Amino acid sequence: MIPFLREAAEVKPSGKQLDWFDMELYAFVHFGPNTFTDREWGLGTEEESVFFPEKLDCDQWEEAIKAAGMKGMVLTAKHHDGFCLWPSRYTEHSVKNSPLQRDVVKEASDACRRGGIKFGFYLSPWDRNSELYGTPSYNDYFCNQLTELLTGYGEIFYVWFDNACGEGPNGKKQEYDFGRYFDLIHKYQPNAVIFNDFGPDIRWCGNEAGAARHAEWSVVPSELCHYSRVQTGPGPMAFEGDLSYLYNTEQELGTMPNILYSKGLTYTPAEIDMSIRPGWFWHKEENPHSLERLFLTYLSSVGANACLNLNVPPTTEGLIDERDVKRLKELGDLIRKEFGAERLACVEKLQGEPLTQPVYQITLEQPVRELKYIVLKEEIAKGQRVESFRITAESGSGRQYPLYQGTCIGHKKICQLHDPFALQNPLINDSGDAIHRLRVQITAARDEVFLKEIKVY
Ligand code: FUL
């Protein structure tokens, strides 16, 4: 074993990253002047009077979100237009000068607490309204606003920074002082995870289409996640190559060829962010995506070592659109139906296998002709280690056949074996020979493997 791979296997998540991973699915809420002007990016010149959600009811948001099984809400406290959903002391461009005259951040965070889900916020550093934008004083302004949000709304689980850096009203771009922003969060909300395209705690997956990579490693080169804490020395080929080209959109990030060239590794898992509709903000003409698309997104994000931040935008009335409410409920119902009851089985680790290639035998209590999913989890508190695995089935007569091949496992890998939307699912085994046993064989790992869970559905 190359010693560096052992070191890579030891790269570990923080406690708050583990808590975040367990949330799996939570809601983005894009709301602001854009909702009323039918835009995606506001100009910053909108009158405060446009913002008037007459039926605003954050409990209705919370209920809709919870029906999908989501465990948190991330509200756009300020989008690129600079309008604040809370009455900030540092600008006039906020709810305080709108006909609403209410604090939306307070109402949303209170609704989350009442409903037992977590609350976090998105704060756009790009501000098309502030006259200070593009000058060093803007960082002070931004820190003041950030402090208001960190200190006035109870426990915050997540601070989501948009990396967009466009021009402000004076035509200048801003140099963001992210180090200073992060320090404030560490000071006031030490349990909050921070999202930014390049870490420190959570990184962007590189697309808004809902897809994780085939191998979505949480352990990635520091060349990509330069805001995260580096936990290893340089890879064995670090000085024979260069990874400075790495960007979130690369297909391979944490895979072996890259980590061997890296100057050091960080633990920075991916979030998949996507909207339930085509736009991030609500537009009357848009409809929610199909249940099929949303469920497949769930499988390809939560089921591929990432979390899903699914955006649900309130309407001009200040309510989640009934079409979206219905879709969220359908999604929650389907997830509960597909993963509500696992098959009883006895899992044993076979003796005598190499530590990096263990084999687990799963004996089903009742033989079955069809399986829906096999869900695997690694003990990620010990690091992410599995590089590849295969699953085989064994019939009563001892016949063995392949079921699935995969790469990463990490927090959770959902191996999909059926299509819940097909009119008739082809039986995995139509020979009349039911499946009695399964074998999960790890074919490569960076060090000793610790699987936490194998569940069969
Ligand atoms: C992007 C923004 O420009 C979009 O408007 C949206 O907020 C998305 C989540 O992030 O960078």
Side-chain angles (χ1 to χ4, degrees), residues 22 360 376-380 411 450-454:
D22 283 337
Y360 301 82
L376 308 174
K377 285 180 137 198
E378 269 182 87
E379 187 73 72
I380 52 169
H411 171 257
F450 299 99
L451 280 201
K452 185 177 180 183
E453 209 170 271
I454 300 178

Side-chain angles (χ1 to χ4, degrees), residues 175-190:
E175 236 176 82
Y176 301 138
D177 194 347
F178 275 118
R180 210 175 136 196
Y181 312 164
F182 299 160
D183 284 347
L184 280 179
I185 299 164
H186 294 148
K187 176 172 171 196
Y188 292 117
Q189 296 281 347

Side-chain angles (χ1 to χ4, degrees), residues 28 30 40-41 79-80 122 160 162-164 208 273 280-281:
F28 229 163
H30 275 68
E40 279 292 306
W41 279 6
H79 202 253
H80 307 327
Y122 162 116
W160 209 102
D162 195 308
N163 216 58
E208 292 177 349
D273 62 329
W280 289 102
F281 286 86

Side-chain angles (χ1 to χ4, degrees), residues 161-163 195-199 202-204 224-225 247-248:
F161 288 124
D162 195 308
N163 216 58
F195 174 100
N196 188 277
D197 284 24
F198 312 106
I202 315 295
R203 67 184 160 85
W204 186 46
L224 177 76
C225 286
Y247 190 67
N248 294 312

Side-chain angles (χ1 to χ4, degrees), residues 277-349:
R277 296 157 160 254
W280 289 102
F281 286 86
W282 183 79
H283 307 285
K284 196 172 177 200
E285 309 307 328
E286 290 185 354
N287 279 298
H289 297 310
S290 66
L291 176 61
E292 180 167 5
R293 169 139 185 221
L294 295 179
F295 183 69
L296 291 179
T297 300
Y298 172 83
L299 297 180
S300 67
S301 54
V302 173
N305 194 38
C307 282
L308 175 58
N309 189 0
L310 180 66
N311 179 63
V312 202
T315 63
T316 47
E317 289 189 313
L319 299 169
I320 304 295
D321 188 308
E322 280 309 318
R323 292 169 286 182
D324 299 349
V325 170
K326 180 168 169 279
R327 190 64 91 242
L328 289 171
K329 167 85 169 51
E330 288 170 351
L331 178 62
D333 286 346
L334 185 57
I335 294 172
R336 286 182 285 270
K337 174 171 166 272
E338 295 295 280
F339 299 102
E342 69 202 76
R343 292 198 171 270
L344 293 176
C346 167
V347 178
E348 53 186 319
K349 191 170 168 183

Side-chain angles (χ1 to χ4, degrees), residues 24 50 78 99 103 140 146 225 239 268 285 361 364 378 380 385 387 402 440 457:
E24 297 190 343
V50 301
K78 172 177 98 164
D103 183 341
D140 300 334
L146 182 57
C225 286
F239 302 103
T268 325
E285 309 307 328
Q361 181 166 283
L364 299 168
E378 269 182 87
I380 52 169
R385 295 170 173 216
E387 288 266 355
V440 175
Y457 296 90

